[in-house]
Amino acid sequence: MSLDQKPVPAQPSAGSGDTASDGSVTDDGGTVADDGSTVTGDGGTAPGGGDGVQGTPPAPWDVRQAGPWTHRDLAANGARFHIAELGEGPLVLLVHGWPEYWWAWRHQLTALAEAGYRAVALDLRGIGGSDRTPRGYDPGNLALDITGVIRSLGENRAHLVGHASGGTLSWVAAVMRPSVIQSLTVVSAAHPRDLRRALLTDRRQMAAFEHILGFQRPWIPERRLVADDAALVGRYLDAWTGRNQLDRAAVAAYREAIRIPSTAHCSIEPYRWLLRSMARPDGIQFARRMKKPITAPTLHIQGAADPVLLSHTALGGGEYVAAPYRWRLMPGIGHFPHEEAPEQFTAELLDWIGRHKD
């Protein structure tokens, strides 16, 4: 199967839902979405009716795309998380941004495994095949999800790679649990203090975050995101890329993923916290905590043509890193360097983590 092949329905799983001794969850379980439908553990929605052919219900769309990787669930930080895993060796944990899920790292999963690493792509809380909990979408808790998954994988340390909102959480994880992060690679994500400053003082960055401002309204954003088969998500993806557009199969997959019940709501809750907390004690305390220097060697990759996170907002993250720091600006690349230029991006990543294996 080619890496960009369209998703295929998963086979039904069986089991009791018990948690294994290594922290993995042994079946798909399920949670009830706020619209009353059942969200299966693999991210699909349980069929609710027939398709008109001998009463057989249609198979749900599934986030667990087939490939050389394996899929499983892990228990961490009070929730269940879906991962795709490939290879053996030092752990590299890949954390997606919005509006993507683990599939965003399909190119890097295979390249890292071939290079001798254990590559794991995570679905964040509320997205893909992971649990959609009613709360827990502040950056501190989401960062503890990431470090908890590292522990549940049986590892003490990992090379952490995060894109966009996943990159923001990677900055936070490196501050909160420095002993767990062997190296840090942040993609299309400013340091949280730089982002906070830009959203308070920089009109250009505020305008670039227009969609984030729109997310602050109740209910309406969720409905707009899933309307017309998530056409708005497709428009965002096209508008946010540079000269190399995302392939149509990937865009179709991301549009399907956002339509899984409760995903639209859960996936934008961190952005609501971001803006609403700025004047609250919890947001001010978080900003102060992020002054702590990062001790992990840090690679900071930014697309020069990124219309969402402007390059001058991202520039300067090295101020908070008390370790080797490398800034890489990729000309002509938009918000998704790992997908727009996967070979160039992966070469940078492999070089960086190879320098910091020990």
Side-chain angles (χ1 to χ4, degrees):
M1 171 181 177
S2 65
L3 291 178
D4 292 325
Q5 183 173 337
K6 291 185 179 180
V8 296
Q11 296 299 316
S13 60
S16 62
D18 295 334
T19 303
S21 60
D22 64 353
S24 62
V25 179
T26 57
D27 86 336
D28 284 342
T31 57
V32 178
D34 54 14
D35 64 357
S37 61
T38 300
V39 181
T40 64
D42 63 12
T45 306
D51 61 1
V53 181
Q54 299 181 351
T56 303
W61 184 85
D62 186 25
V63 301
R64 302 189 182 212
Q65 282 96 322
W69 40 73
T70 58
H71 295 275
R72 62 186 176 115
D73 297 323
L74 298 171
N77 197 28
R80 181 180 57 178
F81 298 90
H82 165 250
I83 63 166
E85 183 176 18
L86 182 63
E88 297 181 355
L91 175 62
V92 181
L93 184 63
L94 305 156
V95 186
H96 64 84
W98 192 90
E100 300 182 322
Y101 62 105
W102 77 268
W103 181 246
W105 301 108
R106 60 199 179 280
H107 303 290
Q108 287 72 40
L109 279 171
T110 53
L112 286 164
E114 290 170 0
Y117 293 95
R118 181 188 184 189
V120 174
L122 167 70
D123 277 337
L124 285 168
R125 180 185 295 254
I127 299 172
S130 295
D131 275 352
R132 288 147 180 78
T133 58
R135 59 187 61 85
Y137 298 96
D138 61 281
N141 193 64
L142 292 171
L144 291 178
D145 288 346
I146 292 171
T147 56
V149 165
I150 293 172
R151 297 294 195 186
S152 291
L153 286 165
E155 302 286 351
N156 293 322
R157 305 180 75 196
H159 299 279
L160 181 59
V161 183
H163 168 252
S165 55
T168 299
L169 297 177
S170 297
W171 285 115
V172 180
V175 166
M176 295 183 66
R177 296 290 186 269
S179 63
V180 178
I181 311 304
Q182 188 166 351
S183 77
L184 180 65
T185 300
V186 179
V187 189
S188 307
H191 187 278
R193 288 184 60 84
D194 287 339
L195 180 59
R196 176 187 174 89
R197 185 184 306 115
L199 292 177
L200 291 171
T201 63
D202 186 344
R203 291 185 178 181
R204 291 174 58 197
Q205 184 58 67
M206 293 178 201
F209 262 37
E210 181 181 6
H211 63 292
I212 304 296
L213 299 175
F215 288 165
Q216 306 311 306
R217 296 173 294 175
W219 304 116
I220 295 175
E222 288 92 334
R223 293 173 180 173
R224 290 187 66 219
L225 287 172
V226 301
D228 193 20
D229 296 333
L232 180 58
V233 169
R235 291 196 293 272
Y236 282 148
L237 291 166
D238 289 342
W240 294 349
T241 51
R243 59 195 176 205
N244 302 327
Q245 290 285 297
L246 304 188
D247 65 82
R248 295 300 89 190
V251 172
Y254 300 137
R255 290 175 61 181
E256 289 279 6
I258 201 75
R259 294 169 59 206
I260 297 171
S262 296
T263 300
H265 172 74
C266 294
S267 70
I268 65 176
E269 280 293 276
Y271 294 114
R272 287 172 167 157
W273 187 95
L274 172 67
L275 294 191
R276 296 174 185 179
S277 69
M278 283 192 173
R280 297 195 314 237
D282 57 336
I284 295 171
Q285 183 180 15
F286 170 72
R288 289 174 178 167
R289 187 173 190 179
M290 289 305 297
K291 288 183 179 179
K292 183 179 178 181
I294 290 169
T295 56
T298 301
L299 171 63
H300 199 172
I301 297 178
Q302 176 69 29
D306 189 340
V308 182
L309 194 283
L310 305 182
S311 56
H312 69 264
T313 301
L315 184 65
E319 173 188 351
Y320 303 97
V321 181
Y325 174 84
R326 178 188 291 176
W327 166 261
R328 284 290 182 265
L329 189 65
M330 299 178 67
I333 301 301
H335 192 57
F336 307 96
H338 55 305
E339 291 204 76
E340 295 176 52
E343 293 183 0
Q344 181 183 353
F345 174 88
T346 303
E348 291 279 1
L349 175 61
L350 286 171
D351 178 69
W352 186 252
I353 62 178
R355 293 170 180 264
H356 302 287
K357 280 185 177 181
D358 300 323

